[in-house]
């Protein structure tokens, strides 16, 4: 199998604070991971592509200084929402690409609520 | 840019009914098309895919055919079960295996009643 975990599953924070979300591939190595954002009744929107050992590639309209991505190892990528505001409240989902299958495996998501 | 449109839910059916969830897309070139399923509390799982026109993807009794002329990839199942209750997402990618970021539809919540 190919299992991807996210931590935390749910987080509530105050406006102005920073929140870090972890995405881990548990039983495979992933040179590439992806971060998506999902609004209620909306599709998942690709935010950025995270490559191990290099800078993330952000989609148009996504603020790279606000959504910091670090892919420091082959099994871990982190998304830090800096100076969070209520409009950042959303469901954040990561996926990891498994090399030989060239397929994405998704984490269960993290619900962020900014008060 | 690319986009995927799928029917809004929730879709409620009785067990053993025939299922169709419509999906159409707008994209340049020849994308690969996917259906993902998300069960409560779990991550998205790949259900099936098709990488070129007229290909049919199938898995667990579900089928979808890549129709380039109508830019569609409708999901069908002949006889649904309660265990099929989930949210279904249609998606596209410009890499064959979904190796690049995916463009998703909004998702269709399917509810199967016994």
């Amino acid at each position: 199998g190919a299992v991807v975990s996210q931590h935390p599953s749910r987080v509530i924070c105050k406006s102005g604070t920073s929140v870090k979300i972890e995405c881990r591939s548990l039983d495979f190595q992933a040179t590439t991971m992806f971060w998506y954002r999902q609004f209620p009744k909306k599709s998942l929107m690709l935010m950025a592509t995270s490559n191990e050992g290099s800078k993330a590639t952000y989609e148009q309209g996504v603020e790279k200084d606000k959504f910091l991505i670090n892919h420091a190892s082959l099994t871990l990528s982190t998304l830090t929402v800096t100076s969070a505001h209520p409009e950042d409240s959303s469901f954040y989902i990561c996926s990891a690409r498994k090399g030989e299958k060239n397929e994405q495996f998704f984490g269960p998501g993290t619900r962020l609520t900014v008060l | 840019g690319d986009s995927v449109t799928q029917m809004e839910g929730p879709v409620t059916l009785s067990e053993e009914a025939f299922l169709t969830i419509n999906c159409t897309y707008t994209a340049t070139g020849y994308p690969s098309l996917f259906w993902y399923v998300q069960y409560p509390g779990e991550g998205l799982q790949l259900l099936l895919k098709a990488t070129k026109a007229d290909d049919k993807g199938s898995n667990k009794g579900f089928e979808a055919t890549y129709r380039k002329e109508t830019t569609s990839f409708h999901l069908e199942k002949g006889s649904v079960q309660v265990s099929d209750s989930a949210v279904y997402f249609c998606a596209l990618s410009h890499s064959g295996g979904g190796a690049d970021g995916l463009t998703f539809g909004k998702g269709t919540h399917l509810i199967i009643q016994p």
Side-chain angles (χ1 to χ4, degrees):
Chain A
V3 181
V4 176
S5 70
Q6 283 184 240
H7 177 81
S9 57
R10 189 181 296 268
V11 57
I12 300 173
C13 70
K14 292 182 179 180
S15 186
T17 60
S18 294
V19 174
K20 180 185 285 188
I21 302 170
E22 294 184 347
C23 176
R24 292 183 186 272
S25 55
L26 298 185
D27 53 0
F28 67 99
Q29 294 183 329
T31 55
T32 302
M33 292 183 175
F34 303 90
W35 286 96
Y36 295 85
R37 180 174 179 178
Q38 185 179 30
F39 295 95
K41 300 185 187 265
K42 300 284 187 184
S43 57
L44 282 75
M45 304 294 293
L46 178 66
M47 298 176 66
T49 301
S50 168
N51 296 300
E52 188 266 337
S54 64
K55 290 183 178 180
T57 304
Y58 290 81
E59 295 299 301
Q60 191 173 8
V62 178
E63 299 176 60
K64 61 182 179 182
D65 294 331
K66 180 165 189 62
F67 298 100
L68 300 179
I69 291 172
N70 185 293
H71 194 156
S73 78
L74 289 171
T75 58
L76 173 65
S77 176
T78 60
L79 169 68
T80 301
V81 183
T82 62
S83 187
H85 289 93
E87 57 267 29
D88 299 323
S89 298
S90 192
F91 196 56
Y92 293 88
I93 300 174
C94 75
S95 70
R97 188 171 79 192
K98 188 172 183 179
E100 68 273 17
K101 282 201 164 188
N102 222 20
E103 180 181 331
Q104 288 186 45
F105 295 89
F106 286 80
T110 297
R111 172 76 60 194
L112 169 63
T113 302
V114 184
L115 303 177
Chain B
D2 298 341
S3 67
V4 175
T5 303
Q6 62 182 104
M7 57 194 298
E8 301 269 346
V11 173
T12 304
L13 297 173
S14 297
E15 204 166 21
E16 298 184 3
F18 184 86
L19 168 72
T20 300
I21 300 178
N22 291 335
C23 171
T24 57
Y25 69 91
T26 301
T28 56
Y30 302 91
S32 296
L33 303 173
F34 306 83
W35 276 100
Y36 282 84
V37 58
Q38 185 176 33
Y39 299 103
E42 299 183 15
L44 277 74
Q45 301 172 27
L46 178 64
L47 180 60
L48 54 84
K49 69 179 182 182
T51 57
K52 60 183 187 294
D54 300 325
D55 266 3
K56 177 186 284 188
S58 61
N59 186 25
K60 299 181 181 179
F62 290 90
E63 292 182 341
T65 300
Y66 189 147
R67 300 288 188 199
K68 186 157 174 48
E69 64 275 14
T70 55
T71 61
S72 65
F73 194 53
H74 304 321
L75 182 69
E76 297 182 336
K77 185 174 185 181
S79 176
V80 292
Q81 306 299 314
V82 172
S83 57
D84 294 327
S85 298
V87 181
Y88 292 81
F89 291 89
C90 185
L92 70 82
S93 169
H94 285 283
S95 69
D100 294 331
L102 294 153
T103 300
F104 284 91
K106 293 183 180 181
T108 301
H109 187 193
L110 175 65
I111 301 169
I112 307 301
Q113 297 177 332

